Amino acid sequence: MAGRPREFDREAALEAAMFLFWRKGFEAASMHDLCDAMGVRSPSLYAAFESKEALYLAAIEHYVQTQGPPVWDKLADGKTAREGIEHLLIGATETLPKSRTAPAGCMAVLGAVSDEWPATIVRAIRKVRLDMLGNLRARIEGAVGSGELPAATDVDALSRFYLSVFQGMAIQAKDGASPEELRGVAKAAMAMWPGEP
């Protein structure tokens, strides 16, 4: 009697696809690569995810839900916005460099910077990056409201500055920057906080 076929583990397959897309990008990750990484044949992949584009969209959502919180939840740590942003950047120095389990960089920062990607993917990743900006803006607006920062603070510029630092750290990590080197970036960025001596 033949054994029953192994059930398709959607979460494990999605995790494998996420890491492959993170490492190679949308275009360079072939369907053959994806099937190998996910341990499935193409009919199962298409049955579960419909298309490579839909799989990428599911993978970026999985990334946001699983890889984002360990870094971005640190923004809420600390009594002040300055402490929260510092915790975020220091947290990034621990997660952005390549590890045994994850590629270097941030999938959302590194993805869809080319107009040649499908429009749905470009929009989805842009939304993730705008959510990052919104999270920073909310913390900085809170700092203005509490008196931590002056009322005249340019909230948008300061939010974009710290998002640019995070994004730059992700690109530098992809290029091989070490945690120590990224900590230096974080320290320099925090020295730019309004009112720092």
Side-chain angles (χ1 to χ4, degrees), residues 7-185:
E7 285 189 23
F8 177 72
D9 185 338
R10 191 177 194 280
E11 283 300 304
L14 189 54
E15 179 102 346
M18 176 193 76
F19 283 120
L20 184 68
F21 280 133
W22 186 355
R23 190 172 69 252
K24 296 186 86 168
F26 176 75
E27 287 296 334
S30 71
M31 290 303 290
H32 179 76
D33 292 338
L34 287 161
C35 288
D36 281 353
M38 297 166 72
V40 299
R41 294 182 180 206
S42 58
S44 296
L45 189 153
Y46 283 111
F49 298 102
E50 298 179 10
S51 68
K52 181 180 174 184
E53 185 176 322
L55 174 58
Y56 188 94
L57 291 170
I60 193 69
E61 181 62 29
H62 184 72
Y63 176 87
V64 168
Q65 292 174 356
T66 61
Q67 305 296 311
V71 177
W72 282 88
D73 283 0
K74 292 180 184 303
L75 184 59
D77 291 349
K79 294 178 182 173
T80 65
R82 188 199 183 286
E83 287 176 1
I85 290 173
E86 185 171 28
H87 290 156
L88 165 69
L89 295 180
I90 295 300
T93 72
E94 298 162 2
T95 60
L96 290 174
K98 184 176 180 180
S99 70
R100 285 186 305 107
T101 57
C106 168
M107 185 177 175
V109 170
L110 301 172
V113 291
S114 166
D115 291 336
E116 296 172 10
W117 288 40
T120 54
I121 291 176
V122 172
R123 282 194 302 271
I125 294 190
R126 184 176 296 137
K127 181 189 179 307
V128 173
R129 291 194 291 249
L130 289 173
D131 287 348
M132 292 175 181
L133 180 62
N135 291 336
L136 284 163
R137 185 178 285 126
R139 190 74 211 252
I140 292 170
E141 283 173 347
V144 172
S146 71
E148 177 191 348
L149 288 172
T153 299
D154 187 335
V155 172
D156 186 63
L158 195 59
S159 304
R160 289 182 184 280
F161 171 73
Y162 283 106
L163 179 60
S164 297
V165 171
F166 177 83
Q167 290 172 331
M169 289 170 67
I171 293 167
Q172 290 184 41
K174 179 74 171 174
D175 289 343
S178 69
E180 295 75 23
E181 290 166 329
L182 295 177
R183 274 193 287 276
V185 173

